[in-house]
Amino acid sequence: MAPTVFITGGARSGKSAFAQQRAESHPGSLLYLAAARSEDAEMAARIQAHQEARGPRWRTVEEPLDIPGALREARGCEAVLFDCVTLWLSNLLFHHREDQAAVLAAVDGLVAILPRLEAPLYLVSNEVGSGIVPENRLARLFRDLAGTANQRLAAAADEAWLVAAGCPLRLK
């Protein structure tokens, strides 16, 4: 069983850079599993810049919904970085037409395969519960789902980290 490392923090906290640094500590080929969809020019430019910054050791798989299935692509990789859980949750929430049970079933499906992974997995997720209560129903639904998903993934992980202002703090 390869270790799972859960890394959370706010937007632009440094969590992705920390996760990438940890993944790059492994020799050999690396897999970047992206939940982002390139739906406009700005997002396409962001994705391209991130790919260029990662370098040639990284192979990228873009999968907005079936993360457990995409992890099958990790065979032969020394580590996998999944960035990010909260974007995946957003994709699932819209795909399942706001069906909370379906979204959490997908999270539980990911949790179930973690013990069978052959390469270390670095899960990046946004911490969304530190702000004020959102004013609209959909935002509250998303905040609640993300909080529950983060709890389930962190509980299943071997390590959990919180990154704030570029400073990682080990939670477990």
Side-chain angles (χ1 to χ4, degrees):
M1 176 176 107
T4 297
V5 180
F6 179 81
I7 301 166
T8 191
R12 297 288 181 221
S13 63
K15 64 191 175 297
S16 294
F18 177 66
Q20 182 174 333
Q21 178 185 23
R22 292 284 309 269
E24 288 177 341
S25 72
H26 300 274
S29 63
L30 305 168
L31 177 68
Y32 187 91
L33 180 53
R37 295 180 190 201
S38 177
E39 296 182 349
D40 59 44
E42 187 268 341
M43 187 56 128
R46 280 177 177 254
I47 290 169
Q48 182 176 353
H50 283 290
Q51 287 176 343
E52 290 170 1
R54 283 192 296 272
R57 290 180 57 205
W58 288 93
R59 182 168 53 95
T60 301
V61 170
E62 295 177 3
E63 175 51 56
L65 298 171
D66 185 15
I67 298 308
L71 285 169
R72 292 184 198 105
E73 299 289 327
R75 289 193 173 89
C77 292
E78 297 301 320
V80 178
L81 170 55
F82 172 36
D83 198 353
C84 82
V85 169
T86 41
L87 188 50
W88 175 54
L89 294 172
S90 178
N91 295 341
L92 289 169
L93 188 60
F94 287 108
H95 177 77
H96 292 294
R97 295 188 166 94
E98 301 179 22
D99 181 345
Q100 300 172 59
V103 174
L104 292 175
V107 171
D108 291 339
L110 176 56
V111 167
I113 68 160
L114 296 178
R116 299 192 305 268
L117 296 179
E118 296 176 9
L121 174 62
Y122 296 88
L123 295 167
V124 176
S125 189
N126 288 293
E127 173 52 51
V128 297
S130 297
I132 61 171
V133 175
E135 71 176 64
N136 69 74
R137 183 197 60 78
L138 182 58
R140 288 188 300 273
L141 172 64
F142 178 76
R143 186 246 356 236
D144 293 349
L145 280 171
T148 300
N150 284 349
Q151 289 179 50
R152 290 179 184 185
L153 291 167
D158 300 287
E159 295 177 29
W161 294 81
L162 171 66
V163 180
C167 299
L169 174 65
R170 187 169 182 164
L171 302 174
K172 81 173 209 180

